[in-house]
Amino acid sequence: MSYIAEFDKQPWDAPAEGLRTKVFENGGRRIRLLEFSHGYVEPDWCYSGHMGYVLDGEFGIDYDGGTERYKKGDVILIPGGAKSRHMPILREREKVTLLLFEKDGE
């Protein structure tokens, strides 16, 4: 077992239009490399907690009606639960690459 998340050697998975992802899991923890682009529509609110870093691009997150914008270099720390339910919002021609650090089950 390697402890290096070699995303450059891993193919992209595209589970939905406007979403690509790569996942590295080890010891109950997960690192996800995500790419959202305009056209991605979250089917429902997310209630999971997330810690992440914006590698490239910019986008918004709708927090139950209030939107906060993030850009390259920003760090994101979203607590889990109903009070911080959220979903990504991308404007026309926007694309963002995120690195998320999570525990299994989040």
Side-chain angles (χ1 to χ4, degrees), residues 10 18 29 33 43-45 47 52 60 62 70 76 78 81 89 91:
Q10 194 176 357
R29 302 225 179 246
L33 181 63
D44 201 0
W45 292 102
Y47 294 88
D62 180 345
Y70 299 92
I76 302 169
I78 305 170
I89 304 294
R91 296 175 180 161

Side-chain angles (χ1 to χ4, degrees), residues 15 20 22 31 50 69 77 80:
R20 297 191 320 160
K22 296 182 181 190
I31 301 172
H50 304 286
R69 301 284 304 163
L77 181 57

Side-chain angles (χ1 to χ4, degrees), residues 33-92:
L33 181 63
L34 295 172
E35 181 184 272
F36 290 112
S37 58
H38 181 72
Y40 176 71
V41 177
E42 188 74 41
D44 201 0
W45 292 102
C46 179
Y47 294 88
S48 298
H50 304 286
M51 288 188 300
Y53 182 77
V54 181
L55 295 170
D56 197 31
E58 65 179 76
F59 77 125
I61 296 180
D62 180 345
Y63 293 100
D64 199 11
T67 301
E68 189 166 42
R69 301 284 304 163
Y70 299 92
K71 64 185 178 331
K72 181 178 178 175
D74 286 344
V75 175
I76 302 169
L77 181 57
I78 305 170
K83 289 184 178 180
S84 57
R85 72 182 193 162
H86 55 279
M87 65 176 60
I89 304 294
L90 289 107
R91 296 175 180 161
E92 193 172 340

